[in-house]
Amino acid sequence: MKKKLLLYGTFLRLRILMNFQYPTSYWLGFVGQIISYGATFCTIFIAVSSFGSLNGWTADEVLLLYAFELISYAIGAFFCFHPSTGLANNIRSGAFDASLTKPMNPFLFQILNYGQDAAYFSHFTLSLCVMIFALVRIGITPALGNIVAIILFILGASAIQGGFLVLCSVFSFKMVNENPIFTLFFESKNFLKYPISIYGSGLQVLLTFVLPLGFINFYPSQCLLSKESGVFHYQLGIITPLVGVAVFVVAYLLWMWRLRHYNSSGS
Amino acid sequence: MKTLLEFVKAGFKQRIIYRSSTLWGLVASTLTLFLQIRLWQVLLSSAILQDDRTLTDMVAFLVINALLASLTRCDAAGTLASLIGDGSISCSLTRPISLKKQVVCEQIGVNLHFVLFTVLLPAAVAIVIYGIQLPDVSYGLLFAFSALLGAVILFEIQYILGMVAFFLTTVWFASFYVSGFMKLFGATAIPLWYYPDWLANVCYCLPFRYITYEPILIFLEDAPNPLQTIGIQLLWIGALLFLEQLVWRRAERKLVVQGG
């Protein structure tokens, strides 16, 4: 175990050092991402506050919703974005074949070697600030129970985000030139900028049981605010951490199953 | 001209080979458009704001916004960075047409493919379902010219940002600045008429609203003075071309080809 932790620490240090290889670019990127996602927060706030509320959700509550989405994406993508989106390229170039010769679990190697991207610190910082701002304005007290619940919700949602990235990458074993499933996943996440209760009940069921994206932010926020909205009871959000574990485990098993049927591209 | 068309064709063909990407792109853009329409349906049904805009106005805004955003899509910054990063810029610079024209023509090809196969169908369906009125001929022509100028403004901004790669080697962050400014100051996410006055005033002083928002107002026959809008767009293009020349002169001296 100690050896594994040491190995993890070494990979982490190397990845962070890589990010800071061009410090000016890193910090310009940090500011750029804050501007880009900050603009999204601003436009959401302007739209909802112009109309007073959105299907019973105030502008602050919608900000909280999007902050949950972004903070969980920051954590999930920190580990899984590059290993997942870069898989097709690695298969094509032959780098993936080389990684299979390493004496460790190939999935873990992908995460350690290609994940841990410090670019996501900006998403995390911004969404944490907005989340605190929204929570204070809504009047959620910083009681221990609330803090623990928020942390568990974020971890569960992060596992869902990471799990979906891994699930999308499973298609890269087949589509080695370009994997369009990622585009579909990122576009589907537009559903999460606003409460899913504004959509029809069929779509809500889909986003709850088939593609459980609703557990990334809608159900956790609903549970935290004790807010009745949508088809299901607001306490459904309690199972967010379990949904997170389930999505990630399914994604991992599918990835490993696909790996067993993997044929090299020959590069 | 023939050479330029070849670059447009190359950009178009680059995308045509990815058929499944095109299909899923169509699904994604349909999803995004109808999702935005649903959002505005819910917002406009709210009784708190007494707004005289109808859902048809908003759908027209969203559809034209989607079409213009696709036509004016530009990753000049990314293209330049990749040319500089892998060294192929040395090859591009030796070609008989300028680097800028090569980048523009390829981008036009990519955008035409995107509009034709990904955005046009959902846009046409929305136009029919929501009965969006097309403008009369004079406004239509002014809109087309203004949209073209908008595309030039966006390209210039992207191209100038792309040239930062000559100094920093990498500009992966450029798209974040452009998307952030376009969203907030260009009113691509929500129309400017919902903005608080102070922010709308800030937007007047920047070029971003002249990329898609002002052309859309001309399409909706809602622009108080379309000729003035076109005049301001031309002024912005002049200013950006001047800035581009300044940066290019410095960038030429900085070019480092990293092996390639």
Side-chain angles (χ1 to χ4, degrees), chain B residues 99-119:
Chain B
L99 175 65
K100 190 174 164 184
K101 282 180 186 160
Q102 294 171 43
V103 177
V104 172
C105 292
E106 267 193 42
Q107 188 69 53
I108 291 173
V110 172
N111 288 0
L112 280 177
H113 176 270
F114 191 76
V115 171
L116 278 176
F117 294 104
T118 310
V119 188

Side-chain angles (χ1 to χ4, degrees), chain A residues 24-230:
Chain A
T24 317
S25 289
Y26 176 80
W27 288 111
L28 281 171
F30 188 94
V31 175
Q33 283 168 322
I34 296 260
I35 288 174
S36 180
Y37 287 101
T40 305
F41 276 115
C42 288
T43 50
I44 287 174
F45 190 79
I46 293 168
V48 181
S49 55
S50 295
F51 290 88
S53 70
L54 173 65
N55 205 25
W57 289 67
T58 65
D60 292 322
E61 288 169 347
V62 181
L63 278 190
L64 176 70
L65 203 68
Y66 188 53
F68 258 117
E69 198 278 313
L70 190 60
I71 203 165
S72 58
Y73 175 67
I75 300 171
F78 175 80
F79 293 104
C80 299
F81 183 84
H82 289 295
S84 303
T85 56
L87 183 64
N89 193 32
N90 286 343
I91 290 174
R92 219 170 45 237
S93 69
F96 183 73
D97 295 6
S99 71
L100 292 176
T101 60
K102 308 290 182 225
M104 66 189 296
N105 178 316
F107 178 79
L108 188 63
F109 180 78
Q110 294 298 312
I111 301 288
L112 295 182
N113 196 39
Y114 298 109
Q116 305 172 115
D117 183 0
Y120 292 100
F121 290 166
S122 56
H123 303 60
F124 186 84
T125 311
L126 175 70
S127 48
L128 186 66
C129 292
V130 175
M131 187 176 269
I132 293 169
F133 169 82
L135 286 169
V136 170
R137 282 175 54 113
I138 293 165
I140 303 277
T141 52
L144 185 66
N146 285 339
I147 294 172
V148 172
I150 290 169
I151 292 172
L152 285 174
F153 287 153
I154 292 174
L155 290 177
S158 307
I160 299 175
Q161 298 260 20
F164 267 101
L165 284 169
V166 174
L167 271 176
C168 291
S169 78
V170 170
F171 292 89
S172 297
F173 283 108
K174 187 84 182 157
M175 304 176 195
V176 289
N177 280 321
E178 194 170 274
N179 181 352
I181 307 298
F182 282 107
T183 313
L184 196 64
F185 169 63
F186 289 118
E187 290 292 333
S188 308
K189 288 212 305 162
N190 280 331
F191 278 113
L192 307 181
K193 282 184 189 161
Y194 302 97
I196 61 170
S197 54
I198 66 171
Y199 309 114
S201 50
L203 205 52
Q204 288 182 51
V205 171
L206 181 85
L207 293 170
T208 306
F209 296 113
V210 184
L211 296 169
L213 296 174
F215 287 94
I216 288 176
N217 63 348
F218 179 72
Y219 292 115
S221 306
Q222 203 189 15
C223 190
L224 201 66
L225 301 169
S226 306
K227 198 175 185 72
E228 280 295 359
S229 175

Side-chain angles (χ1 to χ4, degrees), chain B residues 45 60 95 97 102 110 114 127 129 131 187 210 218 231 241 244 259:
Chain B
S45 66
R95 287 183 185 145
I97 66 166
Q102 294 171 43
V110 172
F114 191 76
I127 287 173
I129 292 177
Y210 295 96
I218 297 176
L241 280 170
E244 183 209 310

